[in-house]
Amino acid sequence: QVQLAESGGGLVQAGGSLRLSCATSGGTFSTYFMGWFRQVPGKEREFVASVSRHSTTTYYADSVKGRFTCSRDNAKNTVYLQMNSLKPEDTAVYYCAATRRMGITQAMAVRDTLYDYWGQGTQVTVSS
């Protein structure tokens, strides 16, 4: 069973950048489809981005397209979320998630119920 641990969150001014990392252990990382979600208090968890097992396919929420980049390094068992041009509305707890399910479409990737494993989250706060 894979364990996930996010890091890299923090406080940044609007327009700034952060890179989140999600280190994994306890599983064969390259067999997992990886996703990033975020959540603010009182709201549902929201899909941000995902990357397929060998980085051939990435999906992004419309709200982050062109600003965020999701990538992975299978040699380091880590998935990343590079966040540029941050906005106050990007403020949230960011979670990485993993699943071993196959044949994932974009419609499937955006649903949090697809994923079987989750990290503890890292807080991102963007000040105006």
Side-chain angles (χ1 to χ4, degrees), residues 23-128:
T24 71
S25 60
T28 304
F29 181 63
S30 61
T31 66
Y32 291 91
F33 182 97
M34 301 299 296
W36 286 96
F37 287 77
R38 65 187 182 187
Q39 190 170 27
V40 298
K43 292 192 175 181
E44 292 186 355
R45 196 155 43 189
E46 173 190 29
F47 171 78
V48 176
S50 64
V51 59
S52 58
R53 289 167 176 79
H54 298 286
S55 304
T56 51
T57 305
T58 52
Y59 300 125
Y60 296 95
D62 287 343
S63 59
V64 307
K65 206 170 290 184
R67 300 188 297 123
F68 290 12
T69 302
C70 182
S71 62
R72 66 191 293 162
D73 185 336
N74 285 352
K76 295 183 177 179
N77 298 334
T78 301
V79 62
Y80 304 97
L81 186 67
Q82 177 67 44
M83 305 187 295
N84 299 329
S85 302
L86 282 161
K87 304 176 181 179
E89 51 264 44
D90 294 319
T91 296
V93 177
Y94 283 71
Y95 299 90
C96 65
T99 181
R100 295 188 68 184
R101 301 185 198 192
M102 303 294 288
I104 298 172
T105 64
Q106 184 170 9
M108 295 166 65
V110 304
R111 289 159 35 192
D112 59 359
T113 53
L114 173 75
Y115 300 85
D116 302 305
Y117 306 100
W118 292 84
Q120 81 288 351
T122 186
Q123 176 71 45
V124 171
T125 303
V126 184
S127 63
S128 57

